[in-house]
């Protein structure tokens, strides 16, 4: 099974966006939220493009789910 990126990197992205949602909810509920919640998403946003630049796309990767 071909993947666009390693599982740990995709997990970091999911964790990052969950933390971003938590940050948003905390800001709506209260006026303060820790800025540390941006770290996982920020790391993903830095690592993933660098990974794609150096590793590239798999030419055999199928972006369509229906064949």
């Amino acid at each position: 099974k071909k993947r666009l990126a390693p599982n740990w990197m995709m997990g970091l992205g999911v964790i990052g966006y969950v933390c971003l949602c938590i940050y948003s909810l905390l800001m709506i509920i209260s006026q303060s939220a820790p800025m540390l919640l941006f770290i996982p998403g920020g790391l993903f946003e830095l690592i993933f493009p660098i990974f794609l630049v150096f590793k590239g796309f798999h030419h055999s990767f199928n972006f369509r789910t229906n064949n």
Side-chain angles (χ1 to χ4, degrees), residues 4-6 9 44-59:
L4 186 61
M9 195 178 302
F44 174 75
E45 294 291 336
L46 291 174
I47 294 171
F48 186 60
I50 293 170
F51 173 81
L52 289 178
V53 166
F54 287 107
K55 179 81 174 185
F57 288 105
H58 296 289
H59 293 291

Side-chain angles (χ1 to χ4, degrees), residues 6-58:
N7 285 337
W8 66 267
M9 195 178 302
M10 295 296 112
L12 182 62
V14 170
I15 291 169
Y17 286 110
V18 167
C19 287
L20 181 62
C21 289
I22 291 171
Y23 177 85
S24 299
L25 289 174
L26 286 175
M27 288 300 290
I28 291 170
I29 294 169
S30 66
Q31 292 290 324
S32 63
M35 293 295 287
L36 294 175
L37 291 172
F38 286 117
I39 291 175
L43 287 175
F44 174 75
E45 294 291 336
L46 291 174
I47 294 171
F48 186 60
I50 293 170
F51 173 81
L52 289 178
V53 166
F54 287 107
K55 179 81 174 185
F57 288 105
H58 296 289

